[in-house]
Every structure is written in C-alpha cells, then in structure tokens.
C-alpha cells in the first residue's frame, strides 16, 4: 500500500546512523537526560518528531492523559492535518494518534477523523493504521462512522480476508449501528468461503454476535447447508462451536441433529472432535442423552464406539467429556464398559496408547 508522506521533522524513525545524525538536539537531550522532569510544554515545536521516537511517543501518550485543554490543543495543532497520516502509519506515532482519539475533544476527534477520510481503505490494510481506524470508530460520531463504512463497502471482502483489515471490519460490526452496515449483504453467497478462512471465520462470528436477526438469518441459513463440512474444517469448526454456544436454540438443535449418527466419525476427527465436546456441553438434557447413547451402543457390525474412542488421540477427549456431562445412569454404564477395556488394553498397547489409557483411567477416578 502507498505510504502517505507528509512534511515531517527528520530523524523520527529508526536508530540508523543517518537518523542519529538528523535527530534534533532536544530529542537527544530528552533521551539522555532522565533526571530532568520533562513536561509537554518542553517539547512544543517538536511534537511530531517526538511522536515518531519510541521514548518520545511514550512520554506524549502519558502526558496526554492528564494534559490541560490548552496543552492538548497545541499537540493536536502540530500533528493535524499535515502530519496525521504519516504518524497514523508509524510504529510509534500511531499510539499518539490513538491517545488523541481517547482524550481529545469531540471537535478534535472529528477533525482528526476528517484527515483520514479518503484513506480509510489503505489505512485499514496497514499494520499500524488499522489500529488507529479501530480506535477512531470507538470515539467518532455515528455520522462519521458511516463515512468510514462507505469507503470500505466496495472492498469489504478484501478487508475481511486481510490480516489487518479484518480487525477493522470486526470493530465496525461491534460499534456501528446495524442499519449503517449495508456491506453485510455481500457476505451472502460467501458464507462457506468466509467460515473456512482464518479471518473470515472471526468476522462471521462477530456478525452473529452483534447484528439483528433480519441481517444474520440469511447467513445462518446458508451456514446450515455446510454444517458437516464446517465441523471438519480447521476454521469452520470455530463458527459451528459459536452457534452451539451462543446461537438461538433452534439453530443449536439443527447442529446437534447433524451430529446424530455421526458421533464416532466426528469424535475421531481432529477439528470435529471439538464440536462433539461442545455439543455434549450445550445440548438439552434429551439431546445429550441421545448423543451419549450413541457412544455407549455397539454398532450393527459389533464395533464398540467406546473401544474405538479410547484408542483414538482425539476421540478419547470426547469420551472424557461425555463422562463429565452424562446423567448418572449413563455415567455408570460408561464406566462399566470402559474399566474392562482399560485392563486388557494396558497389556498390549503401544507407548502412545498407554498415554491415552492412563489419561482416561485417571479421568474416571476423578469423575467418580
């Protein structure tokens, strides 16, 4: 992305030989003289340079928290508008800008945000700029939040899939009035793609967490179409777990219904096993009994799910979870089936299996 160059005092970035040579005598003294009691007024005229220095930036941040209105205005006027964009994208300067949003007047916050308009997309995709955009969203007025949204709207899927931009989209979903978030419509038809993306899965969860039913229902209905595949996906399983934990009861019931008849297969899967555990915890009493019965009951071919689960590196955790949440009669039945297997499995198991067996045995002792 382009770096927005503004007129800036030299020597504000890194401690290269050139930077050392260009650093102002005042900043040199500040860095060297720790015994002097420095105040904000001591650095007036050099605020931008200090903001781009590690120690200077920290000093300004601390002082802004208790500064007078006059002091804050002087700091503000040195930065905005000429140097705002460059400091927003600076490793140290971005923290000073964030403090201005936190401690400035509403007028200052509005003017500062105005200086960002037209640049919200590149700032959102930049490592430090995205932090400032998020902070701005928290402190600016709703109308200005709307301007930010409009700039990002045509590029929202690009932002969602970006390591920095996704955090901005999450913040907008959390903080902006849903009626301003028209971009959520663009998620329709992309739910599977988003659910299986390392950043998209987070954005989707924020939608389900913060947006009203009329906006999320089409997304949730689309999600249900892919539920079994998502349970087995390294990112999708987190979206399914979110539905189990925080979704509406009828959505949770639909997820658990998809698990019925699949508990053994899913319990042995690296990612779906997490969903099985969550389902056992969040299910209704009736649903839980059915899931545990499925673990207890031998298959038509005589295979015991319990034995298979005890030997499996993922399913053994699902079995242990079943022991903690099952009704007492089911718990007793599980223990009666597990104990004989522990004895025989100890005799001819690999070192790895022995680890699983001892873990299960210890767990049984704790549970009962």
């Amino acid at each position: 992305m382009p770096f927005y160059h503004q007129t800036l005092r030299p020597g504000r970035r890194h401690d290269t030989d050139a930077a050392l040579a260009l650093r102002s005598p005042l900043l040199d003294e500040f860095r060297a003289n720790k015994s002097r009691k420095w105040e904000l007024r001591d650095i007036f005229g050099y605020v931008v340079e200090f903001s781009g220095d590690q120690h200077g930036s920290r000093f300004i941040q601390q002082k802004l928290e208790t500064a007078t209105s006059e002091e804050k205005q002087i700091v503000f006027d040195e930065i905005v508008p000429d140097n705002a964009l460059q400091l927003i994208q600076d490793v140290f300067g971005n923290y000073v800008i964030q403090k201005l949003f936190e401690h400035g007047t509403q007028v200052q916050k509005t003017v500062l945000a105005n200086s960002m308009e037209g640049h919200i997309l590149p700032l959102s995709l930049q490592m430090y700029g995205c932090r400032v955009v998020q902070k701005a969203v928290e402190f600016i007025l709703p109308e200005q939040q709307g301007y930010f949204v409009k700039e990002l709207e045509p590029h929202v899927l690009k932002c969602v899939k970006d390591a920095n931009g996704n955090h901005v989209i999450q913040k907008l979903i959390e903080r902006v009035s849903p009626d301003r978030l028209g971009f959520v419509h663009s998620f329709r038809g992309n739910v599977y793609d988003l659910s299986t993306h390392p950043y998209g899965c987070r954005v989707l969860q924020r939608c389900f967490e913060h947006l009203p039913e009329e906006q999320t229902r089409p997304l949730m209905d689309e999600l249900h179409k892919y539920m079994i595949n998502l349970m087995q996906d390294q990112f999708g399983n987190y979206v399914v777990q979110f539905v189990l934990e925080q979704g509406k009861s009828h959505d949770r019931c639909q997820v658990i219904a998809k698990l019925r008849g699949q508990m053994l297969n899913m319990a042995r899967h690296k990612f779906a096993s997490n969903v099985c555990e969550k389902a056992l915890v969040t299910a209704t009493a009736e649903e839980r009994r059915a899931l545990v019965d499925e673990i207890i009951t031998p298959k038509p071919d005589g295979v015991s799910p319990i034995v298979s689960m005890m030997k499996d590196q993922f399913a053994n955790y699902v079995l242990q979870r079943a022991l903690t949440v099952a009704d007492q009669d089911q718990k007793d039945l599980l223990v009666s089936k597990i104990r004989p297997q522990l004895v025989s499995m100890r005799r001819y198991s690999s070192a790895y299996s022995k680890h699983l067996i001892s873990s299960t045995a210890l767990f049984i002792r704790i549970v009962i």
Side-chain angles (χ1 to χ4, degrees):
M1 65 160 287
F3 194 99
Y4 292 95
H5 290 286
Q6 304 290 328
T7 306
L8 194 65
R9 293 183 184 278
R12 44 151 228 94
R13 289 194 62 78
H14 304 295
D15 283 342
T16 58
D17 291 340
L20 285 168
L22 293 168
R23 190 184 288 154
S24 70
L26 184 67
L27 181 53
D28 274 335
E29 185 190 349
F30 173 82
R31 290 169 64 100
N33 188 351
K34 302 299 180 187
S35 59
R36 176 178 167 182
K37 183 171 169 44
W38 291 81
E39 299 296 342
L40 263 182
R41 62 178 175 274
D42 298 325
I43 68 163
F44 288 163
Y46 295 84
V47 167
V48 173
E49 182 188 17
F50 272 64
S51 296
D53 175 81
Q54 182 177 5
H55 306 286
S57 170
R58 190 176 294 126
F59 168 76
I60 295 172
Q61 291 170 58
Q62 291 169 345
K63 291 298 183 182
L64 280 174
E65 293 179 3
T66 56
T68 65
S69 299
E70 293 77 13
E71 287 174 328
K72 281 190 272 195
Q73 189 62 50
I74 292 170
V75 170
F76 183 85
D77 289 339
E78 286 195 42
I79 292 173
V80 183
D82 292 343
N83 297 298
L85 284 174
Q86 190 159 347
L87 286 179
I88 287 169
Q89 297 172 93
D90 184 78
V91 59
F92 305 124
N94 81 89
Y95 294 109
V96 173
I97 304 295
Q98 289 186 58
K99 284 293 180 186
L100 287 176
F101 275 116
E102 288 178 17
H103 299 285
T105 64
Q106 196 57 60
V107 171
Q108 288 168 345
K109 293 170 190 177
T110 299
V111 172
L112 184 52
N114 283 343
S115 73
M116 297 165 64
E117 286 181 16
H119 309 282
I120 301 301
L121 177 62
L123 291 178
S124 296
L125 300 176
Q126 202 262 349
M127 184 183 296
Y128 307 116
C130 76
R131 300 175 188 178
V132 176
V133 176
Q134 290 173 76
K135 185 66 72 173
V137 168
E138 292 182 18
F139 288 96
I140 57 179
L141 298 172
E143 186 180 0
Q144 206 156 26
Q145 289 178 333
Y147 293 142
F148 278 30
V149 170
K150 278 189 171 58
E151 278 195 49
L152 295 179
E153 212 156 24
H155 316 280
V156 68
L157 289 175
K158 178 179 182 178
C159 290
V160 167
K161 294 186 174 185
D162 182 79
N164 302 312
N166 83 88
H167 295 290
V168 173
I169 301 302
Q170 288 187 67
K171 184 65 71 175
L172 291 172
I173 292 167
E174 290 169 11
R175 294 293 189 130
V176 177
S177 174
D179 58 286
R180 294 180 185 270
L181 298 177
F183 63 69
V184 174
H185 285 288
S186 64
F187 297 164
R188 296 184 189 183
N190 293 294
V191 168
Y192 183 81
D193 188 36
L194 293 173
S195 299
T196 55
H197 189 275
Y199 310 134
C201 71
R202 300 177 194 169
V203 171
L204 210 50
Q205 288 173 69
R206 294 296 80 73
C207 288
F208 294 139
E209 186 177 4
H210 295 281
L211 299 183
E213 175 80 357
E214 58 265 26
Q215 279 178 297
T216 59
R217 180 45 50 191
L219 305 179
M220 184 63 75
D221 289 345
E222 195 177 328
L223 192 75
H224 281 301
K225 296 177 186 175
Y226 308 105
M227 202 57 76
I228 286 292
N229 287 336
L230 292 177
M231 290 178 188
Q232 300 171 78
D233 183 79
Q234 62 177 324
F235 304 115
N237 82 90
Y238 292 112
V239 182
V240 180
Q241 288 187 66
F242 184 90
V243 176
L244 286 170
E245 267 190 310
Q246 300 190 40
K248 298 194 182 312
S249 58
H250 60 276
D251 290 311
R252 194 164 57 244
C253 289
Q254 275 187 260
V255 174
I256 291 171
K258 291 270 171 58
L259 270 179
R260 296 283 297 276
Q262 297 288 330
M263 275 298 278
L264 179 57
N265 288 337
M266 292 299 178
R268 290 187 294 196
H269 190 279
K270 180 177 182 179
F271 304 119
S273 61
N274 297 316
V275 176
C276 292
E277 283 195 62
K278 192 71 71 179
L280 285 166
V281 172
T282 60
T284 64
E286 186 180 349
E287 290 168 336
R288 187 180 299 115
R289 278 197 74 85
L291 294 176
V292 175
D293 272 338
E294 196 176 317
I295 292 171
I296 293 170
T297 309
K299 299 283 185 188
D301 59 5
V303 172
S304 165
I306 288 176
V307 175
S308 300
M309 292 173 77
M310 286 175 70
K311 292 178 178 177
D312 187 83
Q313 60 178 321
F314 306 119
N316 83 94
Y317 290 107
V318 179
L319 184 60
Q320 290 179 35
R321 180 67 65 188
L323 278 166
T324 64
V325 299
D327 293 337
Q328 191 59 49
D329 62 319
Q330 287 184 315
K331 190 179 294 185
D332 293 340
L333 195 50
L334 279 168
V335 171
S336 71
K337 288 176 175 287
I338 290 170
R339 271 191 170 142
Q341 295 300 328
L342 286 172
V343 174
S344 61
M345 287 170 70
R346 277 197 181 101
R347 291 183 189 141
Y348 55 87
S349 296
S350 66
Y352 178 69
S353 296
K354 278 184 173 135
H355 166 71
L356 297 183
I357 293 160
S358 63
S359 169
T360 308
L362 175 62
F363 198 78
I364 286 178
R365 288 198 296 275
I366 294 169
V367 168
I368 61 174

